[in-house]
Amino acid sequence: MRIHKPVLAALLLSIGATVAAVPAATAAPAAAGASASASASASASAAKSPVAALDRIAYPLCSTNPRGDLGDLRALGRMVGDAKVVGLGEATHSSHEFFTLKHRVFRYLVEEKGFRTFALEGSWSAGLRLNDYVLHGKGDLRKIMDEEFQNVYASWNNAEYRDLVQWMRDYNVKHPKDPVQFMGNDSAYAGPDLYDQVNAYVAGALPQLAPRLTELYRGLRPTTGVDGYVTTYLAQPLAERQAIAKRTALAVTLLKQQRPSPGADGEAYEWAVQQATAIDQMTKLFAYDYNDPQEVVESMRYRDSVMAENVVWWQQRTGSKILLAAHNAHVTLKTYTSASYPKVQGTFLREALGGRYVSIAATFDRGSFNATGEDGVMREVTVGASRPGSTEYTLDQVRPRDFVVDLRNAPAGARAWLSTPHTVKRIGTAYPAPDMDPQIALAQSHDILIHLHEVTAAKLLTTPAG
């Protein structure tokens, strides 16, 4: 994976760091005694135990396999309620069970709750290509994923997500009048289709603007693969990248000043503005000075704000309920690490949608994942059982092996523990990585929790160089 080193570090940080497990106090249920006083004492101890309290509200999750019966997800459906956007997180960026869990939950939400869009922490342009496949069968799925999921998005080129996208296509063949859709909400790459669509709209509807737009976009439309384009783009001097960002911002401004007259195709206009906005989002993200620590922090805030804005735009434009797939640290309601990420996607979404945005964390106790090491090579990594005092250690004592729990309705015995910060596993595309020891209070960070006892590494597919 080749990319300008300072930016690579920043983007990897934004996707998630690594495992941390600093011991902290965790209560355990007391055994019942024979006498009345011993029994009362045991009951009091049990009431204070987060494990005992969580036992009472945990719903067993029977499987992460997307096929088969979905009856065990009915409890999750009740927790989701009438949400318009559900953010479903993951504690690693490349574990099989987290990917298949997203597929399974999406299938349930589609079949039982009327959801119609799967949103991924991938580029906006990749999402459009995959959506063309999902809706119309356009292109070859393997080729699309190989071409789009490179560089910082390489983890998404896996067999599990290919299976999900193929299921979406098969669903649409059977339900052509009520299809599901795929979107990417991120900003680290803007593909050639975006430029083509903006230019085509302007040529047809605003020909007087075409020469100026051609000038503003000069030299920007990608002619190589994602990896090659991003690497070359980021090798430009900062001043050049900042000048480019001014050009793409002006293109958006000029488009917004040309609102269509009554009777014109307003839908096509809104999409053209959004495609131009997606181009501008990428150039703005890459116009930060990644050698300045404060600029890095600001770029991460900007990236999360953009991801949220794109989701809200899509939801309002299509009217579709959305399952949003991202790292736990992106779907959270409250940032895991305020010094590095002052405000994250989940916070922006809660502000925009209120209670219609629901955040679900997905944790695990032990197992494997794929991650990039310090040598830049992606490989399988295995971690053992969580250490006492960590969030996952306590969660793994709850009786169901895998389970779902509503953090908003926790009984008194669990409320204090859920409101107290404990260390969590936070593994992104790099392992190990900086910012290794986030401490979070689950009840302040997420609405719902899915805990898995063990995960295995996802099946990565070959990604050619750009």
Side-chain angles (χ1 to χ4, degrees):
M1 190 165 69
R2 295 178 286 112
I3 188 170
H4 192 57
K5 288 183 179 179
V7 179
L8 172 62
L11 290 174
L12 292 179
L13 274 170
S14 72
I15 294 170
T18 185
V19 174
V22 178
T26 301
S35 67
S37 59
S39 178
S41 176
S43 297
S45 296
K48 295 178 182 177
S49 168
V51 173
L54 290 171
D55 272 343
R56 297 196 296 273
I57 60 171
Y59 289 87
L61 182 67
C62 297
S63 175
T64 58
N65 189 329
R67 270 64 182 182
D69 184 72
L70 301 176
D72 57 321
L73 291 178
R74 292 193 190 103
L76 178 65
R78 292 192 296 272
M79 297 174 196
V80 165
D82 61 356
K84 291 181 178 179
V85 177
V86 172
L88 177 53
E90 60 203 24
T92 82
H93 260 331
S94 193
S95 289
H96 171 83
E97 288 75 11
F98 287 139
F99 292 146
T100 57
L101 174 68
K102 292 175 194 289
H103 183 169
R104 189 169 191 255
V105 170
F106 182 60
R107 182 188 149 210
Y108 171 83
L109 293 176
V110 167
E111 295 178 2
E112 303 296 334
K113 301 286 289 186
F115 279 60
R116 289 297 180 267
T117 296
F118 183 89
L120 179 64
E121 186 189 325
S123 73
W124 178 266
S125 52
L128 294 179
R129 287 189 71 188
L130 286 167
N131 202 37
D132 262 349
Y133 176 81
V134 165
L135 289 174
H136 312 298
K138 181 180 177 181
D140 176 80
L141 178 57
R142 178 185 290 270
K143 185 172 184 288
I144 294 170
M145 293 183 67
D146 282 350
E147 290 177 350
E148 294 294 337
F149 294 147
Q150 300 177 20
N151 210 282
V152 294
Y153 299 125
S155 295
W156 303 154
N157 196 17
N158 59 69
E160 294 83 1
Y161 271 158
R162 182 185 294 173
D163 186 48
L164 165 62
V165 177
Q166 189 60 58
W167 176 85
M168 294 174 70
R169 176 59 192 151
D170 294 343
Y171 180 93
N172 286 345
V173 170
K174 297 174 184 176
H175 306 86
K177 295 183 179 180
D178 188 20
V180 294
Q181 299 197 65
F182 190 104
M183 76 163 290
N185 72 330
D186 203 1
S187 55
Y189 175 70
D193 289 353
L194 300 186
Y195 296 88
D196 295 344
Q197 290 175 35
V198 176
N199 287 328
Y201 173 80
V202 169
L206 302 168
Q208 73 280 6
L209 188 57
R212 183 66 170 128
L213 203 68
T214 298
E215 179 187 348
L216 293 172
Y217 285 158
R218 178 174 36 84
L220 297 184
R221 183 186 182 278
T223 57
T224 61
V226 176
D227 189 55
Y229 179 83
V230 172
T231 301
T232 301
Y233 189 99
L234 291 169
Q236 299 177 96
L238 175 62
E240 244 179 85
R241 287 183 275 123
Q242 291 174 337
I244 291 172
K246 290 179 181 179
R247 285 160 50 192
T248 60
L250 180 55
V252 175
T253 298
L254 292 175
L255 273 172
K256 288 183 175 180
Q257 290 172 348
Q258 303 285 334
R259 294 203 65 84
S261 58
D265 189 345
E267 183 76 4
Y269 168 77
E270 294 295 342
W271 276 96
V273 171
Q274 177 60 19
Q275 315 303 33
T277 298
I279 293 170
D280 187 49
Q281 289 170 347
M282 185 207 77
T283 63
K284 275 190 171 65
L285 178 65
F286 290 155
Y288 285 92
D289 182 356
Y290 288 94
N291 293 309
D292 181 338
Q294 188 54 44
E295 286 268 299
V296 172
V297 172
E298 288 304 313
S299 74
M300 296 302 102
R301 185 186 190 281
Y302 173 73
R303 177 175 177 245
D304 271 69
S305 72
V306 160
M307 292 194 289
E309 287 168 10
N310 288 337
V311 169
V312 172
W313 185 92
W314 183 284
Q315 199 285 315
Q316 293 176 343
R317 179 59 46 188
T318 67
S320 174
K321 293 182 180 180
I322 300 171
L323 178 68
L324 169 62
H327 198 280
N328 287 338
H330 281 309
V331 303
T332 179
L333 302 173
K334 180 181 179 181
T335 180
Y336 281 15
T337 52
S338 59
S340 303
Y341 313 104
K343 194 170 182 179
V344 294
Q345 178 178 207
T347 308
F348 286 111
L349 287 171
R350 177 54 62 88
E351 289 177 355
L353 302 173
R356 294 297 182 92
Y357 171 67
V358 170
S359 173
I360 305 176
T363 59
F364 77 107
D365 178 61
R366 65 193 73 187
S368 304
F369 50 89
N370 301 301
T372 302
E374 294 178 353
D375 56 2
V377 176
M378 186 169 286
R379 57 176 58 86
E380 183 175 329
V381 178
T382 300
V383 296
S386 302
R387 297 177 186 174
S390 67
T391 296
E392 295 83 5
Y393 177 86
T394 299
L395 293 174
D396 215 54
Q397 310 309 306
V398 178
R399 277 178 292 182
R401 186 175 187 271
D402 302 328
F403 63 87
V404 182
V405 65
D406 192 334
L407 302 173
R408 299 162 296 186
N409 299 320
R415 207 170 299 145
W417 182 81
L418 291 172
S419 298
T420 302
H422 301 279
T423 54
V424 295
K425 291 185 176 73
R426 183 174 177 267
I427 302 161
T429 56
Y431 183 90
D435 227 347
M436 293 180 61
D437 302 314
Q439 293 205 7
I440 70 161
L442 282 176
Q444 297 171 15
S445 304
H446 301 280
D447 299 305
I448 300 168
L449 171 78
I450 297 176
H451 179 72
L452 305 179
H453 171 66
E454 186 171 5
V455 298
T456 57
K459 183 180 179 182
L460 294 175
L461 304 174
T462 301
T463 300

